[in-house]
Amino acid sequence: MLKLKSYFQRPEKGYDPVPLAYAAGYTDFEFKKIDTELVNKIGIFSDGFTNKTLLDLGGGPGQYSIEFAKQGAAVTWHDISKNYLDIASQKSKTEDVDIKFSLGYLESAKGKYDILFNRICWYYCFNDYKFADLIVSLVNDGGYGYIIVNNENWLFNKIKKEKLVKKIYLSLNYWFNEIFDIKFIHIHPSHKKLKKVFSKFNFSYLNVERENLNTVISFKK
């Protein structure tokens, strides 16, 4: 269902799922709380950023793209939102860093990179297993992946706040994705499913760790 919609909702033809007012507010919020410890942690994990290519997959307003570029990475930003692209492009000019920009669905990302970063936008993918396949294919041999995903704890907290009909709707969609691997809407996967999704790859290193509302996946190909 999600993939079918994507044939008609084309970002290159003006479709943008992120309204400008929301994008502006989210940008202000995110730039005030950039996690520099996370950036340093990824740098240590990937043996530094200097002279390495990095894909910020689902880069949003570009806060982490800019931080990675400041650390010496050759960054490519990829996101579906033209509003975010405009914001990230302007921010990169203000910060005087060079970033390449690529507009499209998560699944339309292309190339090969030494480091891939994906934060809090996994649930927008069409299919969990196929998206993992794509992510791994985008990483060079010997390269690194660092992925942060809102897991079922985040979703269940959201469901608790909803009215009964919405609770049933979200719960059914969650279980359809968990049991049958079918996504009718954007829905968050469980930690257990993510662990299963990534365990099929023959990485030289893999860690799938639950951090409360998130699952953090780090790997070396």
Coordinates of all heavy atoms in Angstrom, one line a residue, residues 91-164:
K91 N 21.3 26.1 5.8 CA 22.1 25.9 7.1 C 23.5 25.5 6.8 O 24.4 26.0 7.4 CB 21.4 24.8 7.9 CG 20.1 25.2 8.6 CD 20.3 26.0 9.8 CE 19.0 26.2 10.6 NZ 19.2 27.0 11.8
S92 N 23.7 24.7 5.8 CA 25.1 24.2 5.4 C 25.9 25.4 4.9 O 27.1 25.5 5.2 CB 25.0 23.1 4.4 OG 24.6 23.6 3.1
K93 N 25.3 26.3 4.2 CA 25.9 27.5 3.7 C 26.3 28.4 4.8 O 27.4 29.0 4.9 CB 25.0 28.3 2.7 CG 24.9 27.5 1.4 CD 23.9 28.3 0.4 CE 23.7 27.5 -0.9 NZ 22.6 28.1 -1.7
T94 N 25.4 28.6 5.8 CA 25.6 29.4 7.0 C 26.8 28.9 7.8 O 27.6 29.6 8.3 CB 24.4 29.5 7.9 OG1 23.3 30.0 7.1 CG2 24.6 30.3 9.1
E95 N 26.9 27.5 7.9 CA 27.9 26.9 8.6 C 29.2 26.7 7.8 O 30.2 26.1 8.3 CB 27.4 25.5 9.2 CG 26.3 25.6 10.2 CD 26.7 26.3 11.5 OE1 27.9 26.1 11.8 OE2 25.9 26.9 12.2
D96 N 29.1 27.0 6.5 CA 30.3 26.9 5.6 C 30.8 25.5 5.5 O 32.0 25.3 5.6 CB 31.4 27.9 6.1 CG 32.4 28.1 5.0 OD1 32.1 28.0 3.8 OD2 33.6 28.4 5.3
V97 N 29.9 24.6 5.3 CA 30.3 23.2 5.0 C 29.7 22.7 3.7 O 28.7 23.2 3.3 CB 29.9 22.2 6.2 CG1 30.6 22.5 7.4 CG2 28.4 22.3 6.4
D98 N 30.4 21.8 3.0 CA 30.0 21.3 1.7 C 29.2 20.0 2.0 O 29.7 19.0 2.6 CB 31.2 21.0 0.8 CG 31.8 22.3 0.3 OD1 31.1 23.3 0.1 OD2 33.1 22.3 0.2
I99 N 28.0 20.0 1.5 CA 27.2 18.8 1.6 C 26.5 18.5 0.2 O 26.0 19.5 -0.4 CB 26.1 18.9 2.7 CG1 26.7 19.0 4.0 CG2 25.1 17.8 2.6 CD1 25.8 19.4 5.2
K100 N 26.4 17.3 -0.2 CA 25.7 16.9 -1.4 C 24.2 16.6 -1.0 O 24.0 16.1 0.1 CB 26.3 15.7 -2.1 CG 27.7 15.9 -2.7 CD 28.2 14.7 -3.4 CE 29.6 14.9 -3.9 NZ 30.1 13.6 -4.5
F101 N 23.3 17.0 -1.9 CA 21.9 16.8 -1.5 C 21.2 15.9 -2.6 O 21.4 16.0 -3.8 CB 21.2 18.1 -1.5 CG 21.6 19.0 -0.3 CD1 22.7 19.9 -0.5 CD2 21.1 18.8 0.9 CE1 23.1 20.7 0.6 CE2 21.5 19.6 2.0 CZ 22.5 20.5 1.8
S102 N 20.4 15.0 -2.1 CA 19.6 14.0 -2.9 C 18.2 14.0 -2.4 O 18.0 13.7 -1.2 CB 20.3 12.7 -2.8 OG 19.5 11.7 -3.4
L103 N 17.2 14.2 -3.3 CA 15.8 14.2 -2.9 C 15.1 13.0 -3.3 O 15.2 12.6 -4.5 CB 15.2 15.5 -3.5 CG 13.7 15.7 -3.2 CD1 13.6 16.1 -1.7 CD2 13.1 16.8 -4.1
G104 N 14.4 12.4 -2.4 CA 13.6 11.2 -2.8 C 13.2 10.3 -1.6 O 13.6 10.6 -0.5
Y105 N 12.4 9.3 -1.9 CA 12.0 8.4 -0.8 C 13.3 7.7 -0.3 O 14.3 7.7 -0.9 CB 11.1 7.3 -1.4 CG 9.7 7.8 -1.6 CD1 9.3 8.4 -2.8 CD2 8.7 7.7 -0.6 CE1 8.0 8.8 -3.0 CE2 7.4 8.1 -0.7 CZ 7.1 8.7 -1.9 OH 5.8 9.2 -2.1
L106 N 13.2 7.2 0.9 CA 14.3 6.5 1.5 C 14.9 5.4 0.6 O 16.1 5.2 0.4 CB 13.9 5.8 2.9 CG 13.6 6.8 4.0 CD1 13.0 6.0 5.2 CD2 14.8 7.6 4.5
E107 N 13.9 4.7 -0.1 CA 14.3 3.6 -0.9 C 15.0 4.0 -2.2 O 15.5 3.2 -2.9 CB 13.1 2.8 -1.3 CG 12.5 1.9 -0.1 CD 11.7 2.7 0.9 OE1 11.5 3.9 0.7 OE2 11.3 2.1 1.9
S108 N 15.0 5.3 -2.5 CA 15.6 5.8 -3.8 C 17.0 6.2 -3.6 O 17.7 6.6 -4.6 CB 14.8 6.9 -4.4 OG 14.9 8.1 -3.5
A109 N 17.6 6.1 -2.4 CA 19.0 6.4 -2.2 C 19.9 5.5 -3.0 O 19.6 4.3 -3.1 CB 19.3 6.3 -0.7
K110 N 21.0 6.1 -3.5 CA 21.9 5.4 -4.3 C 23.3 5.7 -3.9 O 23.6 6.7 -3.3 CB 21.7 5.8 -5.8 CG 20.4 5.3 -6.4 CD 20.2 5.7 -7.9 CE 19.0 5.1 -8.5 NZ 17.7 5.5 -7.8
G111 N 24.2 4.8 -4.4 CA 25.7 5.1 -4.2 C 26.2 4.1 -3.2 O 25.6 3.1 -2.8
K112 N 27.5 4.3 -2.9 CA 28.2 3.5 -1.9 C 29.0 4.4 -0.9 O 29.6 5.4 -1.4 CB 29.3 2.6 -2.6 CG 28.7 1.4 -3.4 CD 28.3 0.3 -2.4 CE 27.9 -1.0 -3.2 NZ 27.6 -2.1 -2.3
Y113 N 28.9 4.1 0.4 CA 29.4 5.0 1.4 C 30.2 4.2 2.4 O 30.0 3.1 2.7 CB 28.3 5.7 2.0 CG 27.4 6.5 1.0 CD1 26.3 5.9 0.4 CD2 27.7 7.8 0.7 CE1 25.6 6.6 -0.5 CE2 27.0 8.5 -0.2 CZ 25.9 7.9 -0.8 OH 25.1 8.5 -1.8
D114 N 31.2 5.0 3.0 CA 31.9 4.4 4.1 C 31.2 4.3 5.4 O 31.4 3.4 6.2 CB 33.2 5.2 4.3 CG 34.1 5.2 3.1 OD1 34.3 4.2 2.5 OD2 34.6 6.3 2.8
I115 N 30.2 5.3 5.6 CA 29.4 5.3 6.8 C 28.0 5.6 6.4 O 27.8 6.5 5.5 CB 29.9 6.4 7.8 CG1 31.4 6.2 8.1 CG2 29.1 6.4 9.1 CD1 32.0 7.4 8.9
L116 N 27.0 4.9 7.0 CA 25.6 5.2 6.8 C 25.0 5.5 8.1 O 25.1 4.8 9.0 CB 24.9 4.1 6.1 CG 23.4 4.4 5.7 CD1 23.0 3.7 4.4 CD2 22.5 3.9 6.8
F117 N 24.3 6.7 8.2 CA 23.6 7.1 9.4 C 22.1 7.2 9.1 O 21.7 7.9 8.1 CB 24.2 8.4 9.9 CG 23.5 9.0 11.1 CD1 23.6 8.4 12.3 CD2 22.8 10.2 11.0 CE1 23.0 8.9 13.5 CE2 22.2 10.7 12.2 CZ 22.3 10.1 13.4
N118 N 21.3 6.6 9.9 CA 19.8 6.7 9.8 C 19.2 6.9 11.2 O 19.4 6.0 12.0 CB 19.3 5.5 9.1 CG 17.8 5.4 9.0 OD1 17.1 4.6 9.7 ND2 17.2 6.3 8.2
R119 N 18.5 8.0 11.4 CA 18.0 8.3 12.7 C 16.5 8.6 12.7 O 16.1 9.5 12.0 CB 18.8 9.5 13.3 CG 18.3 10.0 14.6 CD 19.1 11.2 15.0 NE 18.5 11.9 16.2 CZ 17.5 12.8 16.2 NH1 17.1 13.3 15.0 NH2 17.0 13.3 17.3
I120 N 15.8 7.8 13.4 CA 14.4 8.1 13.8 C 13.5 8.3 12.6 O 12.5 9.0 12.6 CB 14.3 9.3 14.7 CG1 15.3 9.2 15.9 CG2 12.9 9.4 15.3 CD1 15.1 8.1 16.8
C121 N 13.8 7.6 11.5 CA 12.8 7.7 10.3 C 12.7 6.4 9.7 O 12.1 6.3 8.6 CB 13.3 8.8 9.3 SG 14.9 8.4 8.6
W122 N 13.1 5.3 10.3 CA 13.0 3.9 9.8 C 11.6 3.6 9.4 O 11.3 3.0 8.4 CB 13.6 2.9 10.8 CG 13.4 1.5 10.3 CD1 12.3 0.7 10.3 CD2 14.5 0.6 9.8 NE1 12.5 -0.5 9.8 CE2 13.9 -0.6 9.5 CE3 15.8 0.8 9.6 CZ2 14.6 -1.7 9.1 CZ3 16.6 -0.3 9.1 CH2 15.9 -1.5 8.8
Y123 N 10.6 4.0 10.3 CA 9.3 3.6 10.1 C 8.6 4.1 8.8 O 7.5 3.7 8.4 CB 8.4 3.9 11.4 CG 7.9 5.3 11.5 CD1 6.5 5.5 11.5 CD2 8.8 6.4 11.7 CE1 6.0 6.8 11.6 CE2 8.3 7.7 11.8 CZ 6.9 7.9 11.8 OH 6.4 9.2 12.0
Y124 N 9.3 5.1 8.2 CA 8.7 5.6 6.9 C 9.0 4.6 5.7 O 8.5 4.8 4.6 CB 9.3 6.9 6.6 CG 8.8 8.1 7.4 CD1 9.6 8.8 8.3 CD2 7.4 8.4 7.3 CE1 9.1 9.8 9.0 CE2 6.9 9.5 8.0 CZ 7.8 10.1 8.9 OH 7.2 11.2 9.7
C125 N 9.9 3.6 6.0 CA 10.2 2.7 4.9 C 9.0 1.8 4.5 O 8.0 1.7 5.3 CB 11.4 1.8 5.3 SG 11.0 0.5 6.4
F126 N 9.0 1.3 3.3 CA 7.9 0.5 2.8 C 7.9 -0.9 3.4 O 6.8 -1.5 3.6 CB 8.0 0.3 1.3 CG 8.0 1.6 0.5 CD1 8.7 1.7 -0.7 CD2 7.4 2.7 0.9 CE1 8.8 2.9 -1.4 CE2 7.4 3.9 0.2 CZ 8.1 4.0 -1.0
N127 N 9.1 -1.5 3.7 CA 9.2 -2.8 4.2 C 10.5 -3.0 5.0 O 11.5 -2.6 4.5 CB 9.1 -3.8 3.0 CG 9.3 -5.3 3.5 OD1 10.4 -5.7 3.7 ND2 8.2 -6.0 3.6
D128 N 10.4 -3.5 6.2 CA 11.5 -3.6 7.1 C 12.7 -4.4 6.5 O 13.8 -4.0 6.5 CB 11.1 -4.1 8.4 CG 10.1 -3.2 9.2 OD1 10.3 -2.0 9.1 OD2 9.2 -3.7 9.8
Y129 N 12.4 -5.6 6.0 CA 13.4 -6.4 5.5 C 14.1 -5.9 4.2 O 15.3 -5.9 4.1 CB 12.9 -7.8 5.2 CG 12.7 -8.7 6.4 CD1 11.5 -8.8 7.0 CD2 13.8 -9.4 6.9 CE1 11.3 -9.6 8.2 CE2 13.6 -10.2 8.0 CZ 12.3 -10.3 8.7 OH 12.2 -11.1 9.8
K130 N 13.3 -5.3 3.3 CA 13.8 -4.8 2.1 C 14.6 -3.5 2.4 O 15.6 -3.2 1.7 CB 12.7 -4.5 1.1 CG 12.1 -5.8 0.5 CD 11.0 -5.5 -0.5 CE 10.4 -6.8 -1.0 NZ 9.3 -6.5 -1.9
F131 N 14.2 -2.7 3.3 CA 14.9 -1.5 3.7 C 16.3 -1.9 4.3 O 17.3 -1.2 4.0 CB 14.1 -0.7 4.6 CG 14.7 0.7 4.9 CD1 15.1 1.5 3.9 CD2 14.8 1.2 6.2 CE1 15.7 2.8 4.1 CE2 15.4 2.4 6.4 CZ 15.8 3.2 5.4
A132 N 16.3 -2.9 5.1 CA 17.6 -3.3 5.7 C 18.5 -3.8 4.5 O 19.7 -3.5 4.6 CB 17.4 -4.5 6.7
D133 N 18.0 -4.5 3.6 CA 18.8 -4.9 2.4 C 19.4 -3.7 1.7 O 20.6 -3.7 1.3 CB 17.9 -5.7 1.4 CG 17.6 -7.1 1.9 OD1 18.2 -7.6 2.8 OD2 16.6 -7.7 1.4
L134 N 18.6 -2.7 1.5 CA 19.0 -1.5 0.9 C 20.2 -0.8 1.7 O 21.2 -0.4 1.1 CB 17.9 -0.5 0.7 CG 18.3 0.9 0.2 CD1 18.8 0.8 -1.3 CD2 17.2 1.9 0.3
I135 N 19.9 -0.7 2.9 CA 21.0 0.0 3.8 C 22.3 -0.7 3.7 O 23.3 -0.1 3.5 CB 20.5 0.0 5.3 CG1 19.5 1.1 5.4 CG2 21.6 0.2 6.2 CD1 18.8 1.2 6.8
V136 N 22.3 -2.1 3.8 CA 23.5 -2.8 3.7 C 24.2 -2.7 2.3 O 25.4 -2.6 2.2 CB 23.3 -4.3 4.0 CG1 24.5 -5.1 3.8 CG2 22.8 -4.4 5.5
S137 N 23.4 -2.6 1.3 CA 23.9 -2.5 -0.1 C 24.5 -1.1 -0.3 O 25.4 -1.0 -1.2 CB 22.8 -2.7 -1.1 OG 21.9 -1.6 -1.2
L138 N 24.1 -0.1 0.5 CA 24.7 1.2 0.3 C 26.0 1.4 1.0 O 26.7 2.5 0.9 CB 23.7 2.3 0.9 CG 22.4 2.4 0.1 CD1 21.4 3.3 0.9 CD2 22.7 3.1 -1.3
V139 N 26.4 0.4 1.8 CA 27.7 0.5 2.6 C 28.8 -0.2 1.9 O 28.6 -1.4 1.5 CB 27.4 0.0 4.0 CG1 28.7 0.1 4.9 CG2 26.3 0.8 4.7
N140 N 29.9 0.4 1.8 CA 31.1 -0.2 1.2 C 31.5 -1.4 2.1 O 31.3 -1.4 3.3 CB 32.3 0.8 1.2 CG 32.1 1.8 0.0 OD1 31.6 1.4 -1.0 ND2 32.5 3.0 0.3
D141 N 32.2 -2.4 1.5 CA 32.8 -3.5 2.3 C 33.8 -2.8 3.3 O 34.6 -2.0 2.9 CB 33.6 -4.4 1.4 CG 32.6 -5.3 0.5 OD1 31.4 -5.3 0.9 OD2 33.1 -5.8 -0.5
G142 N 33.7 -3.2 4.5 CA 34.5 -2.7 5.6 C 34.0 -1.4 6.1 O 34.5 -0.8 7.0
G143 N 32.8 -0.9 5.6 CA 32.2 0.3 6.0 C 31.3 0.1 7.2 O 31.1 -1.1 7.7
Y144 N 30.6 1.2 7.7 CA 29.9 1.1 9.0 C 28.5 1.6 8.8 O 28.2 2.5 8.0 CB 30.6 2.0 10.0 CG 32.0 1.6 10.3 CD1 33.1 2.1 9.5 CD2 32.3 0.8 11.4 CE1 34.4 1.7 9.8 CE2 33.7 0.4 11.6 CZ 34.7 0.9 10.8 OH 36.0 0.5 11.1
G145 N 27.6 1.1 9.6 CA 26.2 1.5 9.7 C 25.9 1.9 11.1 O 26.2 1.2 12.0
Y146 N 25.1 3.0 11.3 CA 24.6 3.3 12.6 C 23.2 3.8 12.5 O 22.9 4.8 11.8 CB 25.5 4.4 13.2 CG 25.4 4.5 14.7 CD1 26.3 3.8 15.5 CD2 24.4 5.2 15.4 CE1 26.3 3.9 16.9 CE2 24.3 5.3 16.7 CZ 25.2 4.6 17.5 OH 25.1 4.6 18.9
I147 N 22.3 3.1 13.1 CA 20.9 3.3 12.8 C 20.1 3.4 14.2 O 20.3 2.5 15.1 CB 20.3 2.1 12.0 CG1 21.1 2.0 10.7 CG2 18.8 2.3 11.7 CD1 21.1 0.5 10.2
I148 N 19.3 4.4 14.3 CA 18.5 4.6 15.5 C 17.0 4.5 15.1 O 16.6 5.3 14.3 CB 18.8 5.9 16.2 CG1 20.3 6.0 16.5 CG2 18.0 6.1 17.5 CD1 20.8 7.4 17.0
V149 N 16.3 3.6 15.7 CA 14.9 3.3 15.4 C 14.0 3.5 16.6 O 14.3 2.8 17.6 CB 14.8 1.9 14.7 CG1 13.3 1.7 14.2 CG2 15.8 1.7 13.7
N150 N 12.9 4.2 16.5 CA 11.9 4.2 17.5 C 11.3 2.8 17.5 O 10.7 2.4 16.4 CB 10.8 5.2 17.2 CG 11.2 6.6 17.4 OD1 10.8 7.5 16.7 ND2 12.0 6.9 18.4
N151 N 11.3 2.1 18.6 CA 10.8 0.7 18.6 C 9.3 0.6 19.2 O 8.7 1.7 19.3 CB 11.7 -0.2 19.3 CG 12.0 0.2 20.8 OD1 11.1 0.7 21.4 ND2 13.2 0.0 21.3
E152 N 8.9 -0.6 19.5 CA 7.5 -0.7 20.0 C 7.2 0.0 21.3 O 6.1 0.3 21.5 CB 7.2 -2.2 20.1 CG 7.7 -3.0 21.3 CD 9.1 -3.4 21.2 OE1 9.8 -2.9 20.3 OE2 9.5 -4.2 22.1
N153 N 8.2 0.2 22.1 CA 8.0 1.0 23.3 C 7.5 2.4 23.0 O 6.6 2.9 23.7 CB 9.3 1.0 24.2 CG 9.6 -0.3 24.8 OD1 8.8 -1.2 24.8 ND2 10.8 -0.4 25.4
W154 N 8.1 3.0 22.0 CA 7.7 4.3 21.6 C 6.3 4.3 21.1 O 5.4 5.1 21.4 CB 8.6 4.8 20.5 CG 8.5 6.3 20.1 CD1 9.2 7.3 20.5 CD2 7.5 6.8 19.2 NE1 8.7 8.5 20.0 CE2 7.6 8.2 19.2 CE3 6.4 6.3 18.4 CZ2 6.8 9.1 18.4 CZ3 5.6 7.1 17.7 CH2 5.8 8.5 17.7
L155 N 6.0 3.3 20.2 CA 4.6 3.1 19.7 C 3.6 2.9 20.7 O 2.5 3.5 20.7 CB 4.6 2.0 18.6 CG 3.3 1.7 18.0 CD1 2.8 2.9 17.2 CD2 3.4 0.4 17.1
F156 N 3.9 2.0 21.7 CA 2.9 1.7 22.7 C 2.6 2.9 23.6 O 1.5 3.0 24.1 CB 3.4 0.5 23.5 CG 3.5 -0.8 22.8 CD1 4.2 -1.9 23.3 CD2 2.8 -1.0 21.6 CE1 4.2 -3.1 22.6 CE2 2.9 -2.2 20.9 CZ 3.6 -3.2 21.4
N157 N 3.6 3.7 23.8 CA 3.4 4.9 24.6 C 2.4 5.8 23.8 O 1.6 6.5 24.4 CB 4.7 5.7 24.8 CG 5.5 5.1 26.0 OD1 5.0 4.3 26.7 ND2 6.7 5.6 26.2
K158 N 2.6 5.9 22.5 CA 1.7 6.7 21.7 C 0.3 6.1 21.7 O -0.7 6.9 21.8 CB 2.2 6.7 20.3 CG 1.3 7.5 19.3 CD 1.9 7.4 17.9 CE 0.9 7.9 16.8 NZ 0.5 9.3 17.1
I159 N 0.2 4.8 21.6 CA -1.1 4.1 21.6 C -1.9 4.4 22.8 O -3.2 4.6 22.8 CB -1.0 2.6 21.3 CG1 -0.5 2.4 19.9 CG2 -2.3 1.9 21.6 CD1 -0.2 1.0 19.5
K160 N -1.2 4.4 24.0 CA -1.9 4.7 25.3 C -2.7 6.0 25.3 O -3.7 6.1 26.0 CB -0.9 4.6 26.4 CG -0.3 3.3 26.7 CD 0.8 3.4 27.8 CE 1.4 2.1 28.1 NZ 2.5 2.2 29.1
K161 N -2.2 7.0 24.5 CA -2.8 8.3 24.6 C -3.9 8.5 23.6 O -4.6 9.5 23.6 CB -1.7 9.3 24.3 CG -0.5 9.3 25.2 CD 0.6 10.2 24.8 CE 1.9 10.0 25.7 NZ 3.0 10.8 25.1
E162 N -4.1 7.5 22.7 CA -5.1 7.6 21.7 C -6.5 7.1 22.2 O -6.6 6.4 23.1 CB -4.7 6.8 20.5 CG -3.4 7.2 19.9 CD -3.4 8.5 19.2 OE1 -4.6 9.1 19.0 OE2 -2.4 9.1 18.8
K163 N -7.5 7.5 21.4 CA -8.9 7.1 21.7 C -9.0 5.6 21.2 O -8.2 5.1 20.4 CB -9.9 7.9 21.0 CG -9.9 9.4 21.6 CD -11.0 10.2 20.9 CE -11.0 11.6 21.5 NZ -12.1 12.5 20.9
L164 N -10.1 4.9 21.6 CA -10.2 3.5 21.4 C -10.0 3.1 20.0 O -9.3 2.1 19.7 CB -11.5 3.0 22.0 CG -11.8 1.5 21.8 CD1 -10.7 0.7 22.6 CD2 -13.2 1.1 22.4

